Amino acid sequence: MAVTFKREDSSVALSNERVRVRLELAPLRVSLGDLGGEIGITGARVCALVDGAPLGDTEPTGTRVAANLVRDLAFEEDAETPLGRAARVRARVAMSDGLELGLSVELGGDWPGAVIALELRNTGERPRVVTALEPIVWEAGPGARLALPGDPPALRFLALGHQSWSPARWLRLGERPPAPRRVVRRLYSSPYAPRARRGRFVSESATALGEPGRAGLALGFTSHSRFLSWIELAHEPGRVHALAARSAVDGESLAPGRALASERLWLGVAAPLEEALGQWAERAGREMAAPVPARSLSGWCSWYRFGTAVTAEDVRRNLLELRRLGAPLDVVQIDDGFQSAIGDWLAPAAGFPDGLAPLAREIRAEGFRAGLWLAPFLVSPRARLAREKPEWLLRDADGKPITALWNPDWPGKRCFALDATHPGVESWLESLGREVRALGFDYLKLDFLFAGALAGARRDPRSTAVQAYRRGVAALRRGAGPGAFLLGCGAPLGASIGLFEAMRIGPDVAARWTNATVDRVVGVEAAPSARNSLTNVFVRAPLHQRLWLNDPDCVVLRGAGSKLSDTEVRTLAASIALSGGLVVVSDELGELPRERLDWLRRMLPSLSRTPEVGPARGPVPEELVVRCEDGSALWLRVNLGEAAVPLDLDLRALGLRGPTRVWDVFAERELERAVGGASLGTLEPHAARLLRLVPDDSGARVLGSTLHFAAGSLETESVALEAPGSVRVRLRLPGRRSGEVALALPSTPRLVRAHVAFDDALELRVQVGGVVNASEISDR
Ligand code: 9PG
């Protein structure tokens, strides 16, 4: 598809078959929309905030200057851009007194949006302080229109929090946004973005705006190498007053003759709105070269069972149990508690009397990767490191060490942050990576990472917070060497794109559904709980495999010592499984009831697919869909709320047009055949329904299985109708398996169920009327 360039007296436009982007030249205004004019943003300005105090806790000061008259225009038909080949318009635009803007707009042949980037140049005589670069500032008024299909009261704004644990929600215009209380603001919020309050939404890095199920706008920064960036919305119920995309400029001032490049902003049309987050993430991941592994991982983690009291014996016992169970996990990961103090990572705690090397060896000898937790940017004031290297601490303008957080789990609670621009810190991080790798660990859960990107007076004043952070993580990775797997946690998400194989995308799970008391104390729904963790799993599902592998956090399966009901545990397990992300169990395995162990097996291996999310009818889309190559689909619907809801299956919305056979994964039976859709009664609070949907066609198929939550879509290697009444099925799943497989046949009997038991793979010959022969495949 080609891009058309059109120049008129007072404007230029680029268009492809999906969108048109237009620049008015005097004064400069940017517009983007679909070709039909149904959706779009018209008349946005491009601005910079100058001559004020650095952004932070207070409202911005200084002057907002807008790009004004376009002086030069250049058009490239086929430019090389970070997102591939695209048409590009470049403009040189005058701003007020001594500032000039270089603007570039890129549009690829089949892109559903454009990339806007700017470069601010100081053409004056004096140095200037720039506090923000603003690729889009749209304010309702003459010539400025926001066209969004749908019903204004139904409009929603996707508010993504700053770091892994910060809430992510679809907010309704006019509602009061959740905002963390002052004591925990450093923990959950960007150091630079303004505080969300009534009438003002803030979303970090990216957002979506529109009515769920209809077309909407996608906005997001595709580059994150220097500045923290966010999108702000000024609104009231059913009305948008202003929409702006901003990057905080920290670091240096702008000397005469010098230029400052912004991060790059994606502005796109998403149809439906649910695709907006994936649309942006795909591009940001590509532009930042995200190292996304082809396959998701599974593992065991010590934290949610043993906490900081974990000992080497706890790990050993579970290692033995894993062998006994023949559970096909990839990683055994030791969490917080092995170290003598936060910062003194190589001095083991009393529970690890022989140090970490022998334990890592044992883990590897059992066939697992050895994983270790670290909080590389934190130091406890009680650590040797803090005493010996006080000059490594991140300090405020008055020279006082900055408290990154107070953690009730740790002796002394308080923790300082390290300044990764100090050369000593950078080489210490590198040697930390090297030493833990030498101990045998090649899977590293790097936690409390937000502390690496706090605002502060850094040793290198020209480095931005994001640059300092990225430098620190890169140093650790360099030390850890090739093949290391880095899982980020408590991490500033935008600033982390391109640095991690996997990323925690929500608050901690817990063996309880909610924790209202702690939610109230922090002011946001971020307390450890299954509900808070699951909420982010659903909202941030589209990031999976685009920016990194999502880590939905652990499944906690225990019966004893858990406040979770059977229903709640199953909802947790099935949601984690359908999310396609890391599958990590955090229990004393020897204590798990048989049925819960069976659920664990049904989560393994990870589906490794990116699910589609359903429309956000409320603050959270409670639906995940995984489409399979064979035309079947897995459909998960949860009820995270407190009232029963009607449960309706819309097959047409899932692209299943003909008669469809329905397997109820939890009930382990076939439901009535459906056409178009079905009413499935009600879904109780905290419950889930998981269905496998298979087109009712002339072939023989695996309709369902009890071997995996994927119910046949993962474990079926082939199904062949060999002769009338004879079907050959090949199944493949790692580990020891036993359960049932249900075959859908084109003529009576329509359903045949077979018991199977195997290790890794099985070939099954089914004679209608009974299983003739089942043999394990051992040739591969
Ligand atoms: C280890 C844990 C686990 C867990 C992480 C993270 O604000 N806080 O005090 C706070 C404490 C713990 C926490 C998050 C915040 O959990 O998410 O998986 O590794 O650290 O300490």
Side-chain angles (χ1 to χ4, degrees):
M1 274 186 272
V3 174
T4 313
F5 175 70
K6 199 162 144 204
R7 165 99 218 231
E8 285 174 352
D9 274 355
S10 60
S11 72
V12 290
L14 288 178
S15 55
N16 60 23
E17 281 171 26
R18 305 172 80 162
V19 290
R20 175 186 301 121
V21 51
R22 211 170 87 94
L23 301 181
E24 283 165 53
L25 305 178
L28 177 76
R29 294 285 187 274
V30 180
S31 303
L32 182 134
D34 69 341
L35 302 188
E38 195 201 7
I39 174 165
I41 177 167
T42 309
R45 295 182 302 156
V46 178
C47 299
L49 192 61
V50 298
D51 303 337
L55 295 183
D57 244 9
T58 54
E59 291 298 314
T61 58
T63 319
R64 175 152 292 123
V65 291
N68 191 9
L69 291 179
V70 174
R71 292 207 180 113
D72 301 323
L73 263 183
F75 172 67
E76 298 156 88
E77 214 170 329
D78 191 25
E80 191 72 68
T81 82
L83 289 173
R85 307 207 77 91
R88 177 157 61 198
V89 169
R90 282 179 202 272
R92 204 158 62 84
V93 197
M95 285 183 129
S96 62
D97 60 347
L99 291 169
E100 192 182 81
L101 187 83
L103 174 75
S104 96
V105 177
E106 295 160 4
L107 179 68
D110 58 355
W111 297 5
V115 172
I116 299 169
L118 41 128
E119 197 181 69
L120 184 68
R121 183 172 296 279
N122 183 351
T123 52
E125 239 88 277
R126 60 188 171 106
R128 304 295 287 269
V129 174
V130 184
T131 50
L133 292 172
E134 307 175 321
I136 285 288
V137 177
W138 178 90
E139 279 158 342
R145 237 170 55 83
L146 195 59
L148 290 168
D151 185 19
L155 292 181
R156 282 185 187 268
F157 175 87
L158 174 60
L160 300 171
H162 173 57
Q163 58 114 315
S164 306
W165 308 321
S166 315
R169 301 284 187 281
W170 288 87
L171 303 175
R172 197 194 294 279
L173 296 200
E175 91 175 73
R176 194 181 142 152
R181 284 190 210 284
R182 178 166 280 280
V183 281
V184 289
R185 206 174 294 151
R186 200 167 274 160
L187 192 61
Y188 295 114
S189 302
S190 151
Y192 300 118
R195 206 142 45 91
R197 52 165 159 73
R198 191 178 286 289
R200 177 169 69 196
F201 290 155
V202 178
S203 186
E204 293 295 326
S205 301
T207 191
L209 177 66
E211 182 181 336
R214 311 283 298 258
L217 287 179
L219 283 89
F221 288 85
T222 57
S223 70
H224 289 84
S225 37
R226 287 174 311 139
F227 305 129
L228 290 170
S229 306
W230 66 92
I231 290 118
E232 271 173 62
L233 190 84
H235 62 96
E236 62 183 275
R239 270 189 64 157
V240 175
H241 297 303
L243 174 68
R246 315 200 139 107
S247 297
V249 177
D250 50 341
E252 224 183 350
S253 69
L254 188 59
R258 299 290 301 256
L260 183 65
S262 74
E263 301 292 6
R264 293 156 45 80
L265 179 75
W266 170 260
L267 177 59
V269 169
L273 181 66
E274 292 70 55
E275 285 174 9
L277 189 54
Q279 182 184 101
W280 159 75
E282 198 177 303
R283 287 165 176 86
R286 195 174 333 142
E287 192 161 324
M288 299 302 287
V292 186
R295 200 172 68 76
S296 209
L297 295 189
S298 59
W300 178 87
C301 162
S302 61
W303 180 252
Y304 298 96
R305 179 59 170 79
F306 301 106
T308 53
V310 64
T311 67
E313 274 319 304
D314 296 330
V315 180
R316 278 201 185 98
R317 217 173 36 252
N318 280 280
L319 197 53
L320 283 179
E321 196 58 25
L322 281 173
R323 181 206 287 175
R324 207 180 64 79
L325 295 170
L329 299 180
D330 301 301
V331 189
V332 169
Q333 184 242 312
I334 305 167
D335 214 281
D336 185 2
F338 64 87
Q339 74 287 352
S340 58
I342 297 296
D344 295 342
W345 304 110
L346 300 171
F352 293 76
D354 308 320
L356 292 171
L359 198 51
R361 240 188 332 267
E362 289 166 51
I363 293 171
R364 293 159 75 103
E366 290 293 337
F368 303 106
R369 292 177 84 152
L372 191 67
W373 174 93
L374 296 168
F377 293 109
L378 288 186
V379 199
S380 161
R382 302 177 175 205
R384 246 182 104 150
L385 184 69
R387 283 199 305 277
E388 290 176 359
K389 304 284 181 194
E391 69 278 16
W392 287 7
L393 301 179
L394 179 67
R395 290 167 189 274
D396 63 16
D398 303 329
K400 285 216 307 284
I402 289 173
T403 298
L405 88 158
W406 302 85
N407 186 339
D409 297 333
W410 295 335
K413 299 187 176 60
R414 180 197 195 123
C415 256
F416 295 139
L418 287 176
D419 172 5
T421 70
H422 192 293
V425 173
E426 194 176 352
S427 56
W428 177 83
L429 286 168
E430 182 171 342
S431 66
L432 177 61
R434 195 164 40 241
E435 286 172 73
V436 295
R437 184 73 186 260
L439 289 172
F441 298 97
D442 70 347
Y443 174 102
L444 302 177
K445 174 176 172 184
L446 305 183
D447 204 351
F448 294 92
L449 291 174
F450 70 94
L454 295 173
R458 291 193 157 75
R459 162 83 179 234
D460 174 1
R462 287 164 318 169
S463 171
T464 68
V466 172
Q467 284 172 320
Y469 169 70
R470 295 185 73 94
R471 214 199 269 188
V473 176
L476 203 145
R477 155 122 30 213
R478 227 172 18 252
F485 184 105
L486 302 189
L487 163 62
C489 188
L493 294 182
S496 296
I497 301 172
L499 300 180
F500 293 92
E501 276 77 13
M503 180 60 69
R504 256 286 284 291
I505 44 85
D508 287 17
V509 74
R512 55 191 295 163
W513 186 254
T514 50
N515 190 343
T517 314
V518 175
D519 281 350
R520 245 194 322 276
V521 171
V522 296
V524 286
E525 292 176 332
S529 76
R531 202 258 333 249
N532 287 351
S533 154
L534 280 181
T535 297
N536 274 36
V537 169
F538 281 81
V539 177
R540 286 178 171 159
L543 306 183
H544 180 51
Q545 290 178 314
R546 294 187 169 112
L547 299 181
W548 42 59
L549 302 174
N550 273 4
D551 173 9
D553 207 11
C554 298
V555 59
V556 283
L557 291 165
R558 74 203 68 143
S562 174
K563 293 199 170 109
L564 295 172
S565 68
D566 273 331
T567 298
E568 290 163 344
V569 174
R570 196 172 62 184
T571 297
L572 180 65
S575 303
I576 292 172
L578 267 281
S579 81
L582 303 190
V583 174
V584 184
V585 59
S586 194
D587 282 301
E588 173 80 63
L589 295 170
E591 289 174 1
L592 288 185
R594 270 178 66 117
E595 192 200 31
R596 301 286 171 90
L597 272 174
D598 190 50
W599 289 352
L600 175 60
R601 282 208 184 79
R602 292 185 198 204
M603 300 173 78
L604 301 172
S606 163
L607 270 165
S608 292
R609 301 279 302 265
T610 311
E612 291 164 38
V613 291
R617 297 181 197 94
V620 185
E622 295 172 303
E623 190 180 316
L624 297 179
V625 180
V626 175
R627 281 173 215 272
C628 307
E629 291 82 42
D630 64 356
S632 71
L634 282 162
W635 180 78
L636 174 75
R637 171 82 160 88
V638 300
N639 180 359
L640 301 180
E642 298 307 316
V645 293
L647 186 63
D648 296 309
L649 173 65
D650 184 348
L651 287 172
R652 262 182 280 266
L654 300 176
L656 289 155
R657 299 197 179 271
T660 301
R661 296 182 71 166
V662 182
W663 175 261
D664 186 324
V665 180
F666 300 153
E668 302 180 1
R669 65 184 179 86
E670 183 174 15
L671 305 182
E672 234 172 273
R673 205 172 72 136
V675 184
S679 171
L680 300 169
T682 57
L683 190 62
E684 295 302 312
H686 314 175
R689 197 79 182 268
L690 175 58
L691 304 177
R692 175 139 195 265
L693 306 163
V694 176
D696 188 9
D697 51 24
S698 56
R701 302 244 207 176
V702 171
L703 174 64
S705 102
T706 66
L707 299 170
H708 196 285
F709 282 130
S713 51
L714 190 72
E715 56 268 50
T716 309
E717 204 171 65
S718 66
V719 182
L721 200 50
E722 295 199 311
S726 172
V727 186
R728 196 189 50 160
V729 183
R730 278 170 165 260
L731 301 172
R732 182 173 295 276
L733 270 185
R736 205 170 301 154
R737 306 283 173 162
S738 75
E740 252 192 277
V741 177
L743 290 181
L745 301 174
S747 52
T748 42
R750 301 267 291 147
L751 189 76
V752 174
R753 300 173 71 127
H755 283 280
V756 293
F758 60 95
D759 269 298
D760 298 324
L762 179 76
E763 182 166 286
L764 186 70
R765 264 175 226 287
V766 179
Q767 204 68 39
V768 171
V771 178
V772 167
N773 150 351
S775 60
E776 291 200 25
I777 304 171
S778 51
D779 57 339
R780 283 193 282 167

